[in-house]
Each structure stands twice: as C-alpha cells, then as structure tokens.
Amino acid sequence: MGKILVVGSLNMDFVINTDKMPVPGETVLGNYFNLSPGGKGANQAYAVGKLGGNVSMIGAVGDDENGNILRENLKSVNVDVSPVEVLKDCHTGSAFVTVDKSGENSIVVIQGTNKLLTTEMIDKNVDLIKKADIVLLQLEVPINVIKYTINLAKQYNKIVIVDPAPAVYGVLEDVFEKIDFSKPNETELSILTGLPTDTEENIIKAGKALNQKGLKNVIVTLGSKGSILINENEATHFPVPQVNIVDTTAAGDSFIATFAISLSEGKSVHDSIEFASKVANFVVTRRGAQSSIPTKEEVGNL
Ligand code: RIB
C-alpha cells in the first residue's frame, strides 16, 4: 500500500437530527443534538487510517478542547497528525450539520483555524509531499494553499485527487490540468460548471466540459444512484445496491479516501471506484462523520 497525504480541514461537527429540514423562515423541533469529529480533510484521513492505510495529515486546529479531541481521534486510527499545527488562542473549525429523516444533510462550516493554514506550513512539510504517492485535498482551507500544494505535488509527480467541496465556480480552473481525479456530487458539478446536472445526459455533458478544461477524470457521486466516471474515453456508470440510508454525512469523504487507498495499492480506476462505492454505501447506514466509517473487518464483509 502506498502513502497518502491529506491536506485539509478538521472540524468539530455540531449535529442536529430532525424529521424535517427547516425552510427559510421556519422553526422546527429537532430530535437530538450531539458533537462528533468531522471536517472533510480529517474524515478522509480518518477513513484511510481506519482501513489500515499509511496516512499523514497537514492541517491546523486551535489550542482548545475540540482541537485536542480531533487530533486524538485521528491518532486513534494511526493517522500521523504531527503536521497538524495547534494554533494558540484560536478556535478549531466547526460545522453545523442538520440531518433529516431521509438521511440527507445540510452543512454550514465556520472555518476557524482551517482558514489559517498557510503555504509556509506546506513548505515545512515538503518531505511528506515528496514521500507521498497520492495527495488528497478538499476546499475547506484557503484556496491559495490548495493550489500551492497541487502545484508542488505535481512538480514531484504525485497523483493529485481533489474533492471540490464546498464547490465554488472558477476557483480551480487554472490548476485543472494538474488534477488527476476530482469527485464532485451532482450539485457541486453544477456549481463548478454553471451547467444543469438534472439528468444523466446533462451530468455527462458537464463532466466532459471539465475534461475539456484539462481535468482528466471526473467521478460524479450520485448518492443512492452510485457514481459516474467521466474522462475523454468513457462515461461509465457504477450503480450501488439500495440500502437503508440513515445519514449521508462523510459518504463522499469515505468514497474518495477509499478510492485513494485502492489506487495506492495498484488497483485499477474501475476496481477502486467499485471498492469506494461499497464503503460509501456502508457509511450512509450509520450516523455521524468519522463515527460511521467501517473497520477493515467490516469492509471485508461487504
Ligand atoms: O463531508 C462532511 C463534512 O463536511 C462534515 O464532517 C463537516 O465537518 C464538513 O466539513
């Protein structure tokens, strides 16, 4: 198995469970509330670690209780968190996650220390980039740091995977050619392209539009409909079996993390998507972000 480096966010998730998502101006009564370790970057690193991968994470937390909990949780699954800086008198990132009866979520992130990640912090850890086989990024840390890392990783011929979430139109276009794989969901694909993604035909058109701008492989995750790999040679649909969905939080994170693990083991892109789909389809049957990620033994039974 190769080495994976995750550069990204760590958040404490403040999770509200409710039967019905409120619409603007509406107040609803929820069922319960809890705190749980999250953050797209940390979820991805945690998933790699829990499944036995070799993983380091570059990020930043505050010198508060949440920062400590997040680092300890990653350490518990053997993620190397030595490059996660603890910033004095700063607040760790937090995410306010509302999950409804169907398992769908909506999330507002307060970046906190994730916003304070700098290119100097990346430079300090350049050896980790050199040693990595795959560099995995998301968009919850400053965009200049993301692009700096992508450029550096490509300079050292690494496989670069970007989870373009939260999606923003136009921000990645000048580095598309340096990204090997990107995994938007349908909503994110629409934001990235400005195109409709309401049908499979439109999703493929939007994915191809990204290919034409230099992004080699687009893997569009479609929830219970599986995913589609779009590149200049193909548009291949990977369906998933129907399961009882209780919470979709971190499904995308576990998908991209396990895709990276499989790729780092030398498996093909198709086999890696099949594996990632199985793990993500398991994650949606459990609650929480990192708490929903299966062990190696559980994955073995899938
Ligand atoms: O992808 C899920 C994650 O998004 C949550 O854990 C939350 O922290 C936000 O970053």
Side-chain angles (χ1 to χ4, degrees):
M1 187 181 293
K3 179 150 181 57
I4 296 172
L5 173 66
V6 177
V7 179
S9 60
L10 301 96
N11 295 327
M12 180 56 77
D13 288 353
F14 293 74
V15 186
I16 295 161
N17 182 280
T18 176
D19 285 347
K20 179 188 178 301
M21 204 75 82
V23 295
E26 186 184 21
T27 302
V28 298
L29 296 178
N31 298 323
Y32 57 85
F33 162 81
N34 67 286
L35 262 66
S36 138
K40 292 185 196 305
N43 296 343
Q44 293 170 15
Y46 184 91
V48 177
K50 192 155 182 190
L51 288 163
N54 181 349
V55 55
S56 298
M57 174 158 192
I58 301 178
V61 292
D63 59 348
D64 51 16
E65 200 189 338
N66 287 343
N68 196 35
I69 294 171
L70 291 171
R71 289 173 80 247
E72 289 303 320
N73 208 46
L74 290 176
K75 276 195 216 165
S76 74
V77 292
N78 299 318
V79 177
D80 165 28
V81 290
S82 54
V84 174
E85 297 216 8
V86 180
L87 304 179
K88 214 171 162 16
D89 300 328
C90 295
H91 292 294
T92 297
S94 29
F96 297 84
V97 183
T98 307
V99 180
D100 73 11
K101 206 160 58 176
S102 70
E104 284 304 327
N105 64 35
S106 67
I107 304 178
V108 178
V109 171
I110 302 295
Q111 277 179 293
T113 40
N114 296 312
K115 212 175 176 173
L116 303 177
L117 204 70
T118 61
T119 55
E120 287 72 28
M121 293 178 188
I122 303 299
D123 281 340
K124 260 198 239 175
N125 292 292
V126 70
D127 277 352
L128 287 175
I129 297 182
K130 288 184 190 166
K131 283 184 197 147
D133 295 288
I134 296 181
V135 179
L136 184 51
L137 304 108
Q138 334 71 39
L139 306 187
E140 287 182 335
V141 297
I143 194 70
N144 68 307
V145 178
I146 293 163
K147 289 186 186 181
Y148 185 80
T149 309
I150 292 173
N151 282 317
L152 210 52
K154 227 44 215 172
Q155 195 177 311
Y156 294 112
N157 288 319
K158 306 303 171 183
I159 296 175
V160 173
I161 304 180
V162 178
D163 180 1
V168 182
Y169 180 77
V171 292
L172 286 173
E173 304 224 341
D174 53 338
V175 286
F176 272 167
E177 286 187 348
K178 296 183 174 167
I179 298 174
D180 298 287
F181 298 93
S182 187
K183 181 219 66 67
N185 60 28
E186 303 121 289
T187 310
E188 290 155 356
L189 180 64
S190 180
I191 296 170
L192 290 174
T193 57
L195 296 170
T197 54
D198 51 337
T199 62
E200 182 157 335
E201 199 188 340
N202 281 339
I203 289 170
I204 293 169
K205 270 190 202 158
K208 295 267 180 200
L210 293 182
N211 295 154
Q212 273 160 17
K213 289 184 174 180
L215 213 163
K216 294 172 208 65
N217 294 284
V218 182
I219 306 170
V220 188
T221 49
L222 308 169
S224 60
K225 293 195 219 99
S227 59
I228 306 181
L229 166 67
I230 305 162
N231 57 37
E232 62 175 6
N233 304 316
E234 64 182 321
T236 308
H237 191 169
F238 296 81
V240 289
Q242 297 312 296
V243 290
N244 180 31
I245 299 171
V246 300
D247 183 353
T248 56
T249 311
D253 298 330
S254 55
F255 181 100
I256 203 65
T258 50
F259 172 76
I261 295 179
S262 177
L263 216 56
S264 84
E265 288 172 335
K267 307 260 169 60
S268 72
V269 172
H270 280 219
D271 286 351
S272 299
I273 293 177
E274 297 279 8
F275 177 60
S277 306
K278 279 186 192 159
V279 176
N281 217 31
F282 180 90
V283 163
V284 299
T285 65
R286 299 213 291 214
R287 295 196 190 281
Q290 290 166 32
S291 53
S292 66
I293 292 164
T295 59
K296 247 173 137 176
E297 290 66 39
E298 286 168 323
V299 167
N301 296 329
L302 293 177

